[in-house]
Amino acid sequence: MRRARFKWMALGLLVASGCATFPDQATTRQTAEQMLSEDFTAPSPALLKRLAQDRSQQICSKIGSTKLTEEEAAEVVRLSRESIRYPSSGIFAGDWKRGNTLAHDGAGDRIQFGKLEGRKENGGLCQNCHALAPGEINVGNVGPSLTGYGTQRGNSEAIAKYTYEKIYNAWTYFPCSNMPRLGATGHLTPEQITHMVAFLIDPQSPINKK
Ligand code: HEC
C-alpha cells in the first residue's frame, strides 16, 4: 500500500512540476496501467484478465482526445464484426420468457472479496441501463428506452439479426459506446442472446404490451 501511495505522489509531483517535464502520452499511459495492475493487494486472475485491454478498448481509451479518427472507428467496427459468433441453431429469436428473466437479472461476473462470483449463468444486465416493460420503475437510463422495441420495429429476420449483433457486440454499430459487448466478452452465450432478442421483438413479450 505504501509503495502505491509513493507512486501516486511521484505522479503528482510530475504534474505539479509543469507540462515541460510531464511524460508523453504513451509513457503516461504505460505508467498508469502498470500502477493499476500492481496496486491490487490480492488480484483475482479474473480481474487481471480484465485489466488487459484488447485492441478496440485501446482505441476507445485514447488519451487527450475525445474524437476517434475515421480509420480508428472503422477498425473498431471491423474487429467487432469479426468477434460475432452466431447461434448454432441459425435462429436469432429464442424464448422471450427466458429473455424476460435474464433481462431483469442484473448480476453475474462480479468480483467480490477478490473472487469471481460463482453463478450457474450470468444475468443479462439490461435492466441496469434500459427501461424495459411499460410501468417498470426499477430500471436504469444509461441507454435508450427499449419499451415497445418490437412494436416500433417489427420482428422481421433483418431486425432479429440486427438486434442479435447489437447485443453480441454493440460496438459493431456504435464504436466505443457505453453498451457492454455482452457476447464478445463471454458474459452472455449466443443462446442467451437469442432469448434477449425474442424478449425485445416478440409481440407477446411484456416489452411490447401497452
Ligand atoms: C452499461 C449499460 C448497458 C447495459 C448493461 C445494456 N445496454 Fe444496451 N445500450 C446501452 C447504451 C449506452 C446504448 C446506446 C449506445 C449504443 O447503441 O451502443 C445501448 C443500446 C442498445 C440497443 C440499440 C437500441 C437501438 O435503438 O437500436 C439495444 C437493442 C440494446 N442496447 C439492448 C440491450 C440489451 C438487450 C441488454 C441486456 C442484454 C443491454 N442492452 C444492456 C447501454 C447498456
Side-chain angles (χ1 to χ4, degrees):
M1 214 43 222
R2 184 182 292 167
R3 198 163 52 108
R5 207 172 299 135
F6 174 74
K7 277 188 288 185
W8 285 113
M9 272 167 56
L11 192 70
L13 274 176
L14 272 175
V15 176
S17 61
C19 295
T21 53
F22 197 76
D24 60 79
Q25 286 188 7
T27 316
T28 310
R29 179 182 195 130
Q30 206 185 6
T31 312
E33 280 176 2
Q34 196 185 337
M35 282 161 65
L36 207 63
S37 62
E38 285 175 357
D39 286 349
F40 289 99
T41 40
S44 81
L47 179 65
L48 288 179
K49 208 171 132 217
R50 271 179 226 179
L51 288 177
Q53 295 192 323
D54 63 29
R55 174 77 187 133
S56 298
Q57 287 170 319
Q58 283 169 7
I59 295 174
C60 295
S61 316
K62 277 205 312 179
I63 301 170
S65 162
T66 48
K67 265 200 151 186
L68 296 180
T69 63
E70 253 178 57
E71 292 73 29
E72 286 167 335
E75 188 176 352
V76 174
V77 167
R78 180 181 59 78
L79 290 168
S80 303
R81 185 152 283 291
E82 281 171 12
S83 77
I84 299 178
R85 299 288 169 269
Y86 293 97
S88 50
S89 63
I91 298 165
F92 294 118
D95 174 353
W96 68 259
K97 289 188 183 132
R98 292 264 297 113
N100 187 17
T101 308
L102 285 169
H104 291 86
D105 183 343
D109 271 341
R110 292 175 301 190
I111 295 169
Q112 297 165 319
F113 308 112
K115 281 209 183 80
L116 187 65
E117 66 181 323
R119 279 190 118 224
K120 208 156 65 74
E121 70 173 341
N122 288 330
L125 316 178
C126 323
Q127 178 191 28
N128 294 355
C129 297
H130 292 285
L132 301 174
E136 282 184 51
I137 49 169
N138 186 20
V139 293
N141 60 3
V142 173
S145 165
L146 298 174
T147 309
Y149 183 93
T151 312
Q152 286 158 15
R153 303 182 194 212
N155 56 2
S156 66
E157 182 73 0
I159 287 295
K161 184 164 185 269
Y162 159 74
T163 309
Y164 181 91
E165 291 174 342
K166 180 71 198 175
I167 300 169
Y168 198 101
N169 193 334
W171 293 359
T172 310
Y173 292 98
F174 193 151
C176 309
S177 85
N178 283 333
M179 164 117 180
R181 302 169 298 165
L182 293 161
T185 56
H187 181 83
L188 294 180
T189 65
E191 193 211 332
Q192 284 180 308
I193 295 175
T194 66
H195 301 323
M196 309 307 322
V197 172
F199 172 63
L200 292 184
I201 68 172
D202 196 301
Q204 295 311 315
S205 164
I207 231 174
N208 297 314
K209 295 285 181 196
K210 287 254 182 300

